[in-house]
Amino acid sequence: MAVRTTWKIAHSCGHEVTHNLSDRPADRRAGFARWLEGRDCTDCWKAARDLDTESKEAWIAAKRAEEQQVAAEWAEQFDMPPLDGPEKALAWGERSRHQLVTAAYSALVSEGTWDEADWAVLEDKIRTVDRAGWWIDQRDAEGSDLPELLDAATLDDTGTENPFR
């Protein structure tokens, strides 16, 4: 006699659904069926998940605001110039610049062999790149790659202001 493959499950949400468990090993079907009984059906689970998007979006907005605040304070503390670009890219560019530059400091100075004098030279180069899109494009880069990335920056990425403050 073959082990059954379809199970009629009474989910915790109250819906009854017939599940085909043939894709599971025969000795694991009954246990999985019991587990399913303690869960909402797929439709109810999806509906609950979709309702939760508001709280997820609120959490993301709060996280972005916190990151933006930290990036703005950092830019002011280290005299970083404002970025240029489309309005909707400026905040993202500022956060990306902050994250990459702090990762670079960590990799090159804190954990690496650079001293503060080496970093000061790099910091002056950092100030010359003011295109928000450039920083966004580099958001996934390793901090230790920043010197090479700055060397590759073109005139389109740097501003016309005096970088020597």
Side-chain angles (χ1 to χ4, degrees):
M1 177 164 209
V3 176
R4 69 182 184 166
T5 58
T6 57
W7 298 73
K8 191 169 197 134
I9 306 293
H11 287 278
S12 62
C13 61
H15 293 115
E16 238 180 66
V17 179
T18 301
H19 290 273
N20 180 354
L21 303 182
S22 62
D23 61 338
R24 299 198 171 273
D27 63 338
R28 296 181 184 239
R29 292 177 192 157
F32 187 67
R34 276 192 304 276
W35 181 83
L36 284 173
E37 287 175 350
R39 307 289 178 270
D40 288 347
C41 69
T42 304
D43 292 338
C44 290
W45 175 80
K46 284 181 181 178
R49 181 191 66 188
D50 292 344
L51 289 176
D52 196 33
T53 57
E54 289 179 19
S55 66
K56 184 174 22 172
E57 289 172 3
W59 179 84
I60 289 172
K63 184 76 170 156
R64 290 289 179 259
E66 178 185 329
E67 291 172 350
Q68 192 63 41
Q69 179 67 28
V70 169
E73 290 170 359
W74 171 85
E76 185 176 331
Q77 178 183 357
F78 291 100
D79 198 25
M80 292 291 155
L83 297 178
D84 289 330
E87 184 66 32
K88 67 181 191 178
L90 293 178
W92 190 11
E94 288 176 4
R95 289 191 312 271
S96 297
R97 176 177 65 179
H98 170 253
Q99 290 166 352
L100 181 56
V101 173
T102 54
Y105 185 85
S106 224
L108 299 171
V109 179
S110 298
E111 301 165 5
T113 59
W114 284 34
D115 60 15
E116 290 296 326
D118 295 328
W119 179 256
V121 171
L122 185 68
E123 197 172 285
D124 286 338
K125 267 184 143 173
I126 291 167
R127 286 188 185 92
T128 65
V129 178
D130 65 353
R131 189 172 69 83
W134 188 90
W135 291 103
I136 293 169
D137 290 344
Q138 312 315 317
R139 70 185 177 274
D140 294 326
E142 297 291 325
S144 58
D145 293 338
L146 185 57
E148 186 177 347
L149 293 170
L150 288 169
D151 288 342
T154 66
L155 290 176
D156 293 337
D157 303 317
T158 59
T160 57
E161 294 294 318
N162 181 358
F164 300 106
R165 299 178 273 149

